[in-house]
Each structure stands twice: as C-alpha cells, then as structure tokens.
Amino acid sequence: MIAADGLTRIANGRRIVDGVSVRFEGGRLNLVIGPNGAGKSTLLKLLSRLVRPDAGWVRYDGDGGREMSLASLAKIRAVLSQNVEIAFPLRVREVVMMGRYPHFTGRPSAQDEQACEEVMRLFDIDGVAERDHLTLSGGEQQRVHFARVLAQIWFPEPGRSRYLFLDEPLTFLDVFHQFDFMRKLQALLRSDLVVVGVLHDLNLAARFADSLVLLHQGRVLAAGPADQVLTRENVQAAFGLAPTILRPDGKRPILVFD
C-alpha cells in the first residue's frame, strides 16, 4: 500500500502538484490520468521517491513513515520513466540485467539470471536477447525496458510489498502490444505488488484500471472506479471536451469524442 497526504511540489513559483492526497492498494491496477501539464509525471516521481515534496508525505506499507535507504528501496521499487535512453551498444540481455543491479555486487547470481530469462520470455524478447538493443524498433526497445524494470522486483521480498511505477508505458507500442502489455500487467497483480501508472489514453485507462485518479492543474479532480471518474462533466472540466459516454457492459465507460 502507498499512502500520500498533502503532496505538493513547487517549481518556478508554480504548484505543479498541489496538496494531493491519494491511497493505492496492492493487487490493483491504479492509473493516473489528466491533460498535459496536470502534474501526472511529477506525482509519480513524488510517489516513487525520485523527488522530495515541498510539503506533505508519502508512506510505503510498513515503513512507518521512516524512509528506507536508497539501496533498500531499489530492491522493492522499480520505475519506468517516460523517456529512457541508453546510448551504449549493449545486448538486450545486458540491458535487462541492469534491473538486477540492486541485488548483487560483482557477478549476478543464478537467481538474477533466472529473473532476466523469465521477464524476457514474458515480454517476448528472449529471441533477441543477444542483439544490440540499439538495432531494435522503438516498440521492441520499450518491451526491453519493461523487462528491465520488472526484473528489478521480479521476486517477492518476504514481509515487504513491491512497488512498480510506470510513466506512459504504452509509448511506441502498436495497438496489439498495448493491449498485450496491459493484460500481462493485470496477470502479474498480487497483494504484495502495488502498481501505479500514468496513461494518456482514457479508454484504455477505463478498460483496465481498478482505480483512477484524474488530475487537473495539479489537484485531484476525481478518484475512484472508472465509471465514477470518467463522467462527461469531469472529462469536460479536465480536458475541455465533452464526450459521448457509452456503457455497453453497463459499467465501464467508453468515451467517444466528436
């Protein structure tokens, strides 16, 4: 579980995130949505402790408000940032192994090798494991980075939750791999895995999220299940467009913009 209260981040005199209080449970797919500049990526950085808030706090399950060391945190928390660039000509296998660096010094163990093999199979990149990752397409490279961040927290830590933060993970993916990734993410959900992601596609968010947080101008405009968050009024307030909302299954909305 992650709990945050009053999170605020100020840059150049502007409140990018302004008094945000949220709670995300394990075993659920938690997604953050909102227009450009709403503070989504900054909120993710605050929640993942990549940056410190100017006000408010973030607590991870069991830390009692005491922040872990970076070395300890790296073993249970993995972050996929929006723009990941590795300019060196590394093999795919080597890039994925980077996710295991917090778990070993010197040489990787058999468990580290196992984690990498399993995540490469999961994301269908085991067939290119020996290729220079720079020769891959943008979508293939994105799947390599999926494998890298998941390898970091692949094995459960006894008595501790694991945390996965994903900032626009569907970038560069075609529609098949977008759905494939979201379904695989759902299949990975366990009570000890807390997943928080940022998505732009409102219909994919509605289709897959267990809970949504809609940000607007750095504040929470709405939070809860998709059918409660993605109302015509909320979408118009956040995005300036009023969609037609269909509910073919009686619950999860599909947004149509004219």
Side-chain angles (χ1 to χ4, degrees):
M1 179 270 292
I2 297 175
D5 185 72
L7 281 183
T8 300
R9 179 71 173 176
I10 302 172
N12 298 320
R14 175 172 170 260
R15 290 176 175 261
I16 302 173
V17 172
D18 188 5
V20 169
S21 298
V22 288
R23 181 186 178 97
F24 298 115
E25 300 289 344
R28 296 168 59 81
L29 185 49
N30 307 288
L31 297 179
V32 180
I33 57 175
N36 293 338
K40 303 183 298 297
S41 293
T42 301
L43 176 60
L44 209 69
K45 291 175 183 177
L46 292 168
L47 293 171
S48 61
R49 292 180 173 168
L50 291 179
V51 299
R52 291 183 175 275
D54 293 296
W57 50 258
V58 177
R59 288 181 183 168
Y60 286 13
D61 187 28
D63 70 6
R66 298 183 301 274
E67 291 195 13
M68 290 173 275
S69 68
L70 291 178
S72 296
L73 183 61
K75 294 179 180 179
I76 61 169
R77 183 268 278 138
V79 183
L80 178 68
S81 301
Q82 268 193 53
N83 300 306
V84 182
E85 292 188 11
I86 300 176
F88 303 102
L90 300 174
R91 293 178 300 158
V92 166
R93 183 185 303 280
E94 293 173 315
V95 174
V96 175
M97 183 59 75
M98 292 171 67
R100 298 299 300 172
Y101 284 178
H103 299 276
F104 68 88
T105 55
R107 297 182 62 83
S109 68
Q111 187 179 57
D112 298 317
E113 298 283 1
Q114 177 187 346
C116 291
E117 292 295 336
E118 290 179 358
V119 295
M120 285 193 295
R121 285 197 297 272
L122 176 65
F123 291 113
D124 301 319
I125 57 170
D126 50 320
V128 296
E130 303 305 321
R131 277 182 58 180
D132 177 351
H133 81 288
L134 295 176
T135 67
L136 303 180
S137 70
E140 288 171 323
Q141 288 188 27
Q142 186 75 344
R143 285 153 53 201
V144 171
H145 290 301
F146 292 159
R148 174 180 58 81
V149 297
L150 198 56
Q152 185 175 343
I153 55 169
W154 186 240
F155 297 112
E157 292 281 332
R160 305 172 79 178
S161 294
R162 296 171 293 159
Y163 304 87
L164 178 62
F165 298 92
L166 304 165
D167 195 356
E168 289 297 335
L170 304 184
T171 302
F172 304 121
L173 298 185
D174 59 38
V175 65
F176 171 84
H177 285 103
Q178 288 179 0
F179 274 80
D180 183 61
F181 174 75
M182 297 303 290
R183 289 179 178 128
K184 284 175 177 174
L185 195 58
Q186 282 184 321
L188 289 170
L189 292 175
R190 300 290 186 274
S191 61
D192 74 315
L193 180 60
V194 182
V195 179
V196 184
V198 168
L199 284 190
H200 269 301
D201 191 312
L202 300 184
N203 282 312
L204 280 175
R207 167 67 178 80
F208 289 101
D210 294 304
S211 67
L212 288 175
V213 172
L214 173 58
L215 289 186
H216 179 52
Q217 297 180 348
R219 298 180 178 179
V220 176
L221 181 62
D227 63 314
Q228 296 178 16
V229 172
L230 292 175
T231 65
R232 182 180 175 90
E233 294 74 20
N234 286 342
V235 173
Q236 184 170 27
F239 295 92
L241 290 172
T244 298
I245 298 180
L246 310 176
R247 287 186 170 84
D249 64 356
K251 186 176 181 182
R252 290 187 178 265
I254 295 175
L255 281 63
V256 180
F257 293 93
D258 296 326

